[in-house]
Amino acid sequence: MKAKKERSNFTGQLGFILAAAGSAVGLGNIWRFPYLAAKGGGGVFILCYLVLALTFGFTLLTTEIAIGRKTAQSPLTAYKQLDSRWGFIGLLACLVPTIILPYYCSIGGWVFKYLSIYVTGGGHAAAQDGFFTNYIVGTWQPLLWMMIYFGATAFVVFSGVEKGIEKFSKILMPILLVLVIGISFFALTLHHTDASGVTRTGLQGLKVYLVPNFTGMTLRKLFIVLMDAMGQLFFSISVAMGIMVTYGSYARRDTNLMSSINQIEIFDTMVALLAGLMIIPAVYTFMGAEGMSVGPGLMFVSLPKVFEAMGGVGNLVGLVFFLIVSFAAVTSSVSVMEAIVSSIMDKFGYTRKKSSIIVTIYTLITGIIVCLGYNAFYFEFKLPNGTVGQILDIMDYISNNCLMPLVAVFECILIGWIIKPKVIIDEVTQGKYKFQRKSLYVIMIKYIAPILLCVLLLQSVGLLRL
């Protein structure tokens, strides 16, 4: 009871929604979503994503927010309160942000570096072949920008829930949304004639992005797209990493959880779709269909070349784009750090300041190791899923491919079969609020979600070859 009385809270429903949406709208939406959409046949991927967001994503998001508010605890201690035998889920859930934070800050440093280039009008340099590779294999610049990025993240977390996270989200999220909408519409006005005389437009790119292309789409390929979309949802809505449990624990008792969850879903899905709208029509216009097949390098390699091809306005567009990405990245890394800090506070009774200092020391040391993984500590390691990675890739694989699906599977078993869905339903309907999609929730948490998650987990660890 003491922990509940002393625990900080968001001042209202709007603060909770914007903070949770800020967590969900991160690099996963703006970096990962567009290249997966391009890989998955544009509209085919989007169709799969939307169906999963309204079913699978909704189920996990509802579960974690309700667990957080019911227990008023962060993940490390929340699951144990539900059932003492299942406290290990909290440990696994807390491990995820602990692994993610250092390498996320390393990538955030890349974003800040590119933003600084466009702020100083140096977009031409960023468009040159080898620029990105030369940057990440450097020694001092990646370290410096990682530290600057983490400094911005830590400042918000040190400031607390109301004066830090909530205030920060209320300022940045509306700005981010306006900028995303603006640059998305700009992308549709683009047109370009290449050296062979072929003219492409942003509207044609929009068609490639939104209209499902089932040409050559076998059941096997469709299933791969479905698994990609499900994996993307973990990033998009920040589930299975303790964040939504933490933010749910800060929600006031009179908050309408179902209304909040619906708005978080809408905000997150809208930004994810707009991120693709910002990127894919522009890349298609200037680089054709081939330019959309570059994978993760889409943001740091292809887009600077697109901005360069735009001529005089390109540097300004690049500046706005990397400003958007910077805002989105920081709101997410704040939530990742907060999940760890909050867990330490709840588990050991430490103050926010002491907990934040512990996480800061850990993140800086591990972040330095991650940055040096491209030069001094460089090596190649073949992962079970067949890819070859370095330190950052290994950490990403462990957290995203292994731990997150595992946490979600255990979560479904605990809620669906051990303590029963009624526990979550009662929390959501507290205050006589309605639980929309209640029947869907019960079916998903007990049957469909666990099966899909087991398939995803087996595929992720290389035991199931599709």
Side-chain angles (χ1 to χ4, degrees):
M1 291 301 294
K2 184 179 179 183
K4 289 187 180 182
K5 286 179 181 177
E6 294 182 353
R7 193 171 193 79
S8 299
N9 292 108
F10 294 119
T11 58
Q13 186 163 324
L14 177 62
F16 168 58
I17 291 168
L18 290 177
S23 168
V25 177
L27 289 175
N29 281 54
I30 296 180
W31 179 20
R32 203 168 182 267
F33 186 93
Y35 84 74
L36 284 178
K39 171 192 168 190
V44 178
F45 175 86
I46 291 172
L47 184 62
C48 291
Y49 179 86
L50 289 175
V51 171
L52 287 171
L54 293 171
T55 54
F56 173 79
F58 159 77
T59 301
L60 293 183
L61 186 63
T62 302
T63 300
E64 297 198 357
I65 289 175
I67 288 173
R69 194 179 73 169
K70 178 176 178 60
T71 61
Q73 293 287 293
S74 50
L76 193 55
T77 49
Y79 293 93
K80 191 173 182 179
Q81 282 203 10
L82 295 176
D83 189 308
S84 59
R85 299 166 298 176
W86 289 75
F88 67 90
I89 301 178
L91 179 60
L92 294 175
C94 194
L95 271 176
V96 176
T98 303
I99 295 171
I100 288 176
L101 184 59
Y103 80 76
Y104 198 101
C105 288
S106 178
I107 298 171
W110 304 349
V111 174
F112 270 26
K113 167 65 177 178
Y114 272 70
L115 176 62
S116 72
I117 290 170
Y118 284 94
V119 166
T120 56
H124 174 73
Q128 302 308 303
D129 291 336
F131 178 86
F132 176 64
T133 301
N134 291 335
Y135 168 69
I136 64 171
V137 301
T139 302
W140 297 110
Q141 280 209 53
L143 290 176
L144 175 63
W145 284 109
M146 180 274 292
M147 291 178 184
I148 293 172
Y149 177 88
F150 177 68
T153 300
F155 174 78
V156 178
V157 175
F158 266 88
S159 300
V161 176
E162 301 94 338
K163 294 181 180 179
I165 298 169
E166 182 174 351
K167 185 177 180 181
F168 178 73
S169 300
K170 281 183 174 179
I171 294 170
L172 280 198
M173 294 312 292
I175 296 173
L176 184 147
L177 185 59
V178 170
L179 291 177
V180 168
I181 291 172
I183 201 168
S184 298
F185 277 108
F186 173 77
L188 300 181
T189 68
L190 297 171
H191 59 88
H192 174 70
T193 302
D194 63 21
S196 61
V198 176
T199 300
R200 291 180 294 269
T201 69
L203 289 175
Q204 290 174 331
L206 175 67
K207 183 179 178 181
V208 170
Y209 175 47
L210 293 180
V211 177
N213 179 12
F214 289 101
T215 305
M217 183 65 68
T218 62
L219 279 176
R220 177 180 173 275
K221 288 181 180 178
L222 182 61
F223 192 70
I224 291 173
V225 173
L226 186 70
M227 289 296 103
D228 282 346
M230 187 160 66
Q232 171 61 25
L233 271 169
F234 285 106
F235 293 92
S236 288
I237 57 177
S238 295
V239 291
M241 57 182 84
I243 292 171
M244 287 303 167
V245 174
T246 302
Y247 277 13
S249 74
Y250 298 144
R252 291 161 56 103
R253 303 303 302 176
D254 59 354
T255 297
N256 183 337
L257 288 190
M258 188 49 55
S259 172
S260 300
I261 290 163
N262 289 339
Q263 290 176 66
I264 293 166
E265 272 188 300
I266 292 168
F267 199 111
D268 168 71
T269 304
M270 181 169 62
V271 172
L273 292 174
L274 286 171
L277 195 58
M278 283 194 302
I279 294 172
I280 291 179
V283 171
Y284 178 82
T285 299
F286 290 96
M287 304 180 74
E290 310 80 51
M292 293 164 51
S293 60
V294 295
L298 187 66
M299 185 162 75
F300 294 109
V301 178
S302 296
L303 278 175
K305 295 182 183 297
V306 169
F307 299 144
E308 173 78 355
M310 289 180 184
V313 74
N315 199 88
L316 177 60
V317 176
L319 190 157
V320 174
F321 174 79
F322 280 104
L323 186 64
I324 291 169
V325 179
S326 297
F327 285 175
V330 174
T331 55
S332 286
S333 57
V334 161
S335 66
V336 174
M337 182 175 178
E338 178 63 22
I340 310 169
V341 169
S342 181
S343 291
I344 293 173
M345 291 169 66
D346 289 339
K347 178 67 176 177
F348 302 105
Y350 294 165
T351 63
R352 172 169 291 274
K353 182 179 179 181
K354 185 175 181 179
S355 302
S356 298
I357 289 172
I358 292 170
V359 177
T360 295
I361 294 170
Y362 157 76
T363 305
L364 288 176
I365 292 172
T366 314
I368 288 169
I369 294 171
V370 171
C371 289
L372 294 178
Y374 290 99
N375 46 72
F377 299 153
Y378 181 82
F379 63 88
E380 293 187 354
F381 182 81
K382 188 171 182 180
L383 295 165
N385 61 359
T387 62
V388 176
Q390 296 79 44
I391 293 174
L392 187 152
D393 304 297
I394 293 170
M395 294 174 73
D396 180 70
Y397 175 79
I398 293 170
S399 59
N400 299 331
N401 291 54
C402 303
L403 289 178
M404 285 164 65
L406 191 62
V407 168
V409 168
F410 284 138
E411 198 170 77
C412 289
I413 295 172
L414 172 62
I415 302 300
W417 297 97
I418 307 301
I419 65 172
K420 308 300 182 184
K422 187 176 183 299
V423 172
I424 301 300
I425 294 168
D426 287 347
E427 184 62 30
V428 172
T429 55
Q430 182 179 302
K432 298 183 179 179
Y433 292 117
K434 291 184 178 180
F435 191 146
Q436 291 130 1
R437 293 178 276 175
K438 182 171 70 173
S439 298
L440 172 67
Y441 175 82
V442 174
I443 293 171
M444 288 298 301
I445 198 74
K446 293 187 73 172
Y447 306 108
I448 301 175
I451 294 170
L452 288 175
L453 284 164
C454 285
V455 173
L456 178 64
L457 181 60
L458 290 172
Q459 181 203 15
S460 297
V461 298
L463 295 176
L464 177 64
R465 300 291 183 183
L466 297 177

